């Protein structure tokens, strides 16, 4: 299965996103649960504004068993979280009239239409279609999958790290202080270990990966190894999210450094105060000892 996510291309005439199910002979081997997860994910790829226009779904049934189309459409109706504007079903010409009556009895909440490849290009601009549909859309599914996987891994790692940094912020925001010298020493040691955690946070590593992904998305000269792919509106919509995450990671870590130094100063001051209190208590105990008296006869 594939999605055509190519920028201003890969859109129907209304500006809605196009989702395609390529021709294959083993539709029946796909688990329904896997199909549900897949269509749910693909529905989340375009921006919210684009999704609101409704998807045009193209299902290529050439080479497939005709009785598999209804379960596929049913899954789309039950599991697809976005609106489907129309489902265009491609079958070889000699199947059309024979199957049209049987298929017409099915009821779906979206429009369905059987078309030939030639008829498809009349409904969708050829520049929005891939070569398999006699279109001119430049799209490589393996490269698209590679970038999507990299993006998902980046977002998961960045959000997880940001959550860890925010947890450290909460620890540094603690206002309680120890009441004795030993407690002060213990908290200072713990505070030193906390700085090591801040320093080990892989912000630079994630920044490099984020910059690489931004370069891939912004590249307009075509795909070159792992460095860039043609620009895409669906990917372009992720640019603000990537830059925002990177900015927040850097600013949160910088704030952590500042918080660490402020609390370190307060812990040192507390330690000195507890030492003073301890020494004062010792002196007080010494002064409180009873003096030796010589009793005369």
């Amino acid at each position: 299965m594939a999605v055509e996510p190519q920028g201003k291309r890969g859109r129907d005439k209304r500006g809605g996103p196009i989702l395609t199910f390529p021709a294959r002979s083993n539709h029946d081997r796909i688990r329904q649960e896997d199909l549900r997860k897949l269509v749910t994910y693909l529905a989340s790829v375009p921006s919210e504004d684009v999704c609101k226009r409704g998807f045009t779904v193209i299902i290529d049934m050439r080479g497939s068993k005709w009785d598999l189309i209804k379960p596929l459409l049913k899954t789309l109706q039950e599991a697809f979280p976005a609106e489907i504007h129309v489902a265009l079903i491609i079958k070889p010409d000699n199947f059309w009239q024979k199957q049209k009556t049987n298929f017409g009895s099915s009821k779906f909440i979206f429009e369905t239409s059987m078309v030939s490849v030639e008829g498809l290009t009349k409904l969708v601009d050829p520049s929005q279609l891939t070569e398999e549909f006699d279109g001119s859309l430049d799209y490589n599914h393996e490269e698209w999958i590679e970038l999507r996987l990299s993006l998902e891994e980046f977002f998961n790692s960045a959000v997880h790290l940001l959550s860890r940094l925010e947890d450290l912020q909460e620890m540094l925001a603690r206002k309680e202080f120890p009441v004795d010298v030993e407690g002060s020493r213990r908290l200072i040691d713990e505070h030193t270990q906390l700085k090591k955690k801040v320093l080990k946070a892989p912000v630079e590593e994630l920044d490099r990966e984020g910059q690489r992904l931004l370069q891939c998305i912004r590249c307009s000269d075509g795909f070159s190894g792992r460095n860039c792919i043609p620009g895409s509106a669906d990917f372009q919509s992720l640019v603000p999210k990537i830059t925002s995450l990177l900015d927040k990671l850097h600013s949160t870590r910088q704030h952590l450094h500042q918080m660490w130094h402020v609390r370190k100063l307060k812990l040192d001051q507390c330690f000195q105060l507890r030492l003073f209190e301890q020494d004062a208590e010792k002196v007080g105990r010494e002064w409180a000892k009873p003096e030796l008296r010589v009793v005369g006869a």
Side-chain angles (χ1 to χ4, degrees):
M1 291 171 194
V3 63
E4 308 295 352
Q6 299 292 320
K8 293 181 180 178
R9 303 173 297 174
R11 297 286 191 256
D12 60 26
K13 293 181 178 180
R14 304 167 304 105
I18 298 174
L19 174 66
T20 67
F21 291 81
R24 57 189 301 164
S25 59
N26 62 342
H27 280 297
D28 55 332
R29 297 180 185 176
I30 302 174
R31 295 173 50 199
Q32 290 301 305
E33 183 59 28
D34 292 338
L35 180 59
R36 290 173 185 270
K37 292 179 180 178
L38 175 62
V39 297
T40 298
Y41 177 77
L42 294 178
S44 70
V45 169
S47 66
E48 183 178 349
D49 289 341
V50 173
C51 286
K52 287 179 179 178
R53 301 176 186 178
F55 281 73
T56 288
V57 179
I58 301 174
I59 305 174
D60 192 349
M61 293 302 293
R62 292 174 294 179
S64 301
K65 296 178 181 179
W66 182 246
D67 57 359
L68 297 177
I69 183 62
K70 290 183 182 179
L72 178 57
L73 290 173
K74 184 178 179 182
T75 298
L76 284 174
Q77 177 162 283
E78 295 176 350
F80 201 70
E83 178 184 350
I84 295 178
H85 173 66
V86 64
L88 302 175
I89 303 157
I90 301 176
K91 284 293 289 184
D93 289 341
N94 59 347
F95 280 82
W96 286 8
Q97 297 302 323
K98 178 180 178 182
Q99 302 294 341
K100 188 172 183 179
T101 302
N102 293 336
F103 182 69
S105 62
S106 300
K107 300 295 182 181
F108 298 100
I109 59 175
F110 48 81
E111 178 186 351
T112 59
S113 178
M114 289 191 298
V115 297
S116 63
V117 173
E118 295 77 10
L120 178 63
T121 57
K122 296 177 182 179
L123 299 172
V124 181
D125 192 288
S127 65
Q128 317 297 307
L129 299 170
T130 53
E131 185 178 357
E132 63 190 310
F133 301 118
D134 294 342
S136 57
L137 176 63
D138 182 17
Y139 171 71
N140 184 301
H141 194 58
E142 286 71 28
E143 291 166 0
W144 185 88
I145 289 292
E146 180 183 348
L147 182 55
R148 289 305 310 185
L149 289 174
S150 295
L151 283 165
E152 294 296 338
E153 183 176 354
F154 166 78
F155 284 127
N156 288 337
S157 298
V159 169
H160 178 67
L161 178 58
L162 187 59
S163 177
R164 285 172 51 200
L165 294 179
E166 289 172 346
D167 288 341
L168 292 176
Q169 277 186 323
E170 292 184 7
M171 294 178 64
L172 288 172
R174 293 181 304 183
K175 296 182 179 180
E176 68 274 12
F177 290 95
V179 296
D180 55 28
V181 172
E182 288 305 314
S184 294
R185 286 197 179 98
R186 186 180 67 255
L187 270 188
I188 290 175
D189 289 341
E190 292 177 358
H191 196 66
T192 302
Q193 295 300 317
L194 191 62
K195 185 175 183 180
K196 294 180 181 179
K197 292 183 180 179
V198 176
L199 293 175
K200 288 182 179 180
V203 175
E204 280 77 16
E205 180 182 336
L206 277 172
D207 185 81
R208 287 192 294 270
E209 176 62 9
Q211 297 301 331
R212 184 188 75 82
L213 292 172
L214 289 172
Q215 176 63 24
C216 288
I217 294 171
R218 290 167 174 162
C219 181
S220 59
D221 297 327
F223 188 87
S224 177
R226 295 177 178 269
N227 296 323
C228 62
I229 64 168
S232 159
D234 293 328
F235 286 124
Q236 289 290 341
S237 66
L238 295 176
V239 169
K241 185 176 180 180
I242 295 173
T243 54
S244 176
L245 263 176
L246 292 177
D247 289 345
K248 194 163 187 179
L249 282 170
H250 284 290
S251 62
T252 301
R253 186 178 62 172
Q254 180 62 29
H255 189 218
L256 272 173
H257 280 294
Q258 295 171 355
M259 292 180 69
W260 188 90
H261 285 291
V262 169
R263 184 164 176 79
K264 177 66 163 59
L265 178 61
K266 291 181 178 180
L267 286 174
D268 287 343
Q269 291 173 341
C270 180
F271 179 64
Q272 294 301 322
L273 176 61
R274 298 302 179 237
L275 279 177
F276 173 79
E277 291 174 343
Q278 179 177 274
D279 291 343
E281 185 178 347
K282 288 181 179 179
V283 171
R285 285 198 299 267
E286 290 295 329
W287 279 99
K289 289 181 179 179
E291 296 180 355
L292 295 176
R293 293 186 175 90
V294 178
V295 180

